[in-house]
Amino acid sequence: MTVLTSLPEWKKLSEIASTVKNAHMRDWFAQDASRADKMQLEACGIFLDYSKNRVNEDALKGLFDLARACKLETLRDAMFSGEQINSTEGRAVLHTALRNFSDRKVMVDGEDVMPEVHATLSKIEAFTASVHSGEHKGYTGKPIKHIVAIGIGGSFLGPKIMTEALKPHTVDAVKVHFVANVDGCHIHDVLSSIDFEETLVVMSSKSFSTQETLQNTLTAKDWFLKSGGTQEDIAKHFVAVSSNVKAATEFGISADNIFPMWDWVGGRYSLWSAIGLPISLALGFENFKGLLEGAFDMDTHFTTAPLEENMPVLLALLGVWYRNFFDAQSHVLLPYYHYLRGLPAYVQQLDMESNGKEVTQEGESVDYPTGPIIWGSEGTNGQHSFHQLIHQGSAVIPADFMLPLNVPNQDDTHHAMLASNCFGQTQALMQGKTFEECYADLDGKGLDDAERKRLAAHKTMPGNKPSNTFLFDSLTPKTLGALVAMYEHKVFVQGVIWNLNSFDQWGVELGKVLGNQVLAGIQGEADKDNFDASTQQLIAKFRAANAPK
Ligand SMILES: O=P(O)(O)OC[C@H]1O[C@H](O)[C@H](O)[C@@H](O)[C@@H]1O
């Protein structure tokens, strides 16, 4: 038995869960007219209605007791103060320092990192201004019109999805194109549509060793040189963001053109660092700063609000409740806002790369489920496809619905329909439709009783399906920053409860190593006996199809 499952708080929750499983939220709402009023929270411009969850007062109390038993507050403070909580890599975890607008010093190895953070922000601000004003010119004197942002994983998803979410704030001066996949089709499509004299490449790689990013940058460099640029002109057209300044300079990026980041910023937590440069270029520095300010507000809420009123803590505990006591295997995110459609993919990396682990901090196997599968897409589209499984499938799938109360260029009819679908879905999931209601609906349809019962069974929706609903005024940079930080802290809290190191990613690292070994096999530079029979067969097929004709 692990420490977690032997805690009395854990055992108590198991008992509470067995009672709660027999209750229906429909009845709770009928019995308590103030349920919705009691089960809501507001923080940093985000309103949360969590009343449509399968929790009563006992369950909530039990969950907060569990958080305290797991020393959540102590570990939270350890993260913020720069302790090396990433124990397998010996690193501090300080993405919160990147958006620290207080006077608080943040110490790493005895040194305050805030001056470096501020200097980098100033560099981003100045560079953004010089590109937007046309002061930074390409080597033929033309202003920059296109930014090709190359990166993958955390060096891609954050910048791309935040830029997309804040589309109404896009500047006219430049167009930002994101390239992640090593599939040559992607970079080809981008480069073939733009003029190299007006293009700036931003290469983002914390490690400066990621195959996809290096190759895409080499391809862009090759394109630039073949189009007519020279080696000396590269400085005006290529900049890099990396914590590995040595590798970046060796690659040919001039030292002045390197925006630094640090090993205490995890890849999936890096959009707040210079990895966010493409966001600043796409939206303007003030909007990038707005994101950071919103995240800082959420950090302040997370570190100061009592656990019972703490949004990330509450969300995390609800997630633990379903994952560990209701066997929920996944969690769905449903933004009812077209521009926020990428958020599920963003949170997918954040959550699954952080808590997709099965050993505890001490290296023991867990005896409880950990990180769920995160998925989702924009509403209302999903209603016409996968929502079926959320309504009537056999698994519990907790859902996060989110809706801005106002949108840019608002068409009131469209917007009212969007909202009504969002709210209607949460209502349908909670209430369901009983067999008796469905049976009654089939009265007078000329069916015999057996057929009427058979059809009613198919139409019955059990309900009792949990959801959170988030509302915000409109999706400003600040609100988005707060929303993303809220999910970051939710993931952190779950990592604390599950006693995981949420900040390494050894599974992904192995994939990178094996990918390079197989590449050597494909290029005929590795002994085939290095590979299992299946992989040998696949390599052979590929080599045959690509053999010189
Ligand atoms: O920024 P890079 O060093 O190129 O890394 C890019 C990505 O690589 C890996 O896949 C990691 O798991 C991600 O967390 C990281 O964001």
Side-chain angles (χ1 to χ4, degrees), residues 151-156 204-211 213 241-242 261 266-270 275 349 353 505 508-509 512:
I152 200 163
S155 299
F156 159 70
S204 302
S205 176
K206 177 184 167 188
S207 61
F208 217 92
S209 67
T210 305
Q211 186 198 62
T213 304
V241 183
S242 186
M261 61 179 295
R268 53 193 170 277
Y269 300 87
S270 64
I275 292 287
Q349 185 200 13
E353 208 176 35
Q505 57 284 315
V508 173
E509 310 286 346
K512 285 187 178 182

Side-chain angles (χ1 to χ4, degrees), residues 73-85 93-94:
E73 285 150 303
T74 310
L75 289 163
R76 174 194 66 194
D77 296 345
M79 173 170 77
F80 276 81
S81 65
E83 282 182 36
Q84 289 194 352
I85 63 165
V93 174
L94 278 175

Side-chain angles (χ1 to χ4, degrees), residues 95-166:
H95 45 282
T96 50
L98 302 166
R99 58 220 193 189
N100 170 24
F101 287 95
S102 75
D103 295 335
R104 188 173 58 87
K105 289 183 178 175
V106 181
M107 308 302 284
V108 177
D109 297 331
E111 243 185 78
D112 181 15
V113 298
M114 289 315 300
E116 274 185 282
V117 168
H118 291 141
T120 307
L121 276 177
S122 300
K123 186 169 165 134
I124 296 172
E125 181 175 18
F127 187 70
T128 303
S130 73
V131 171
H132 288 176
S133 66
E135 186 192 327
H136 179 106
K137 293 187 173 30
Y139 81 100
T140 56
K142 290 189 181 175
I144 297 298
K145 294 260 174 58
H146 297 278
I147 309 291
V148 178
I150 299 176
I152 200 163
S155 299
F156 159 70
L157 285 163
K160 162 121 186 333
I161 288 166
M162 301 314 134
T163 300
E164 200 172 81
L166 296 172

Side-chain angles (χ1 to χ4, degrees), residues 38-39 41 63 69 127 162 196 211 233 255 284 312 342 353 390 397 420 437 452 464 480 499 520 523 534 543:
K38 284 192 283 199
M39 298 176 75
L41 264 186
L63 286 164
F127 187 70
M162 301 314 134
F196 77 104
Q211 186 198 62
D233 303 326
E353 208 176 35
I390 309 176
I397 304 177
S420 59
E437 286 165 341
R452 200 171 148 189
N464 222 8
L480 181 61
N499 190 21
Q523 292 175 336
S534 162
R543 281 173 62 85

Side-chain angles (χ1 to χ4, degrees), residues 2-4 70 75 355 357-364 366 368 370 492-502:
T2 53
V3 174
L4 179 61
C70 294
L75 289 163
N355 289 340
K357 319 268 164 80
E358 58 168 355
V359 293
T360 64
Q361 291 275 17
E362 293 74 34
E364 286 164 1
V366 295
Y368 44 86
T370 55
F492 170 80
V493 174
Q494 293 189 331
V496 168
I497 305 284
W498 290 324
N499 190 21
L500 305 172
N501 178 4
S502 301

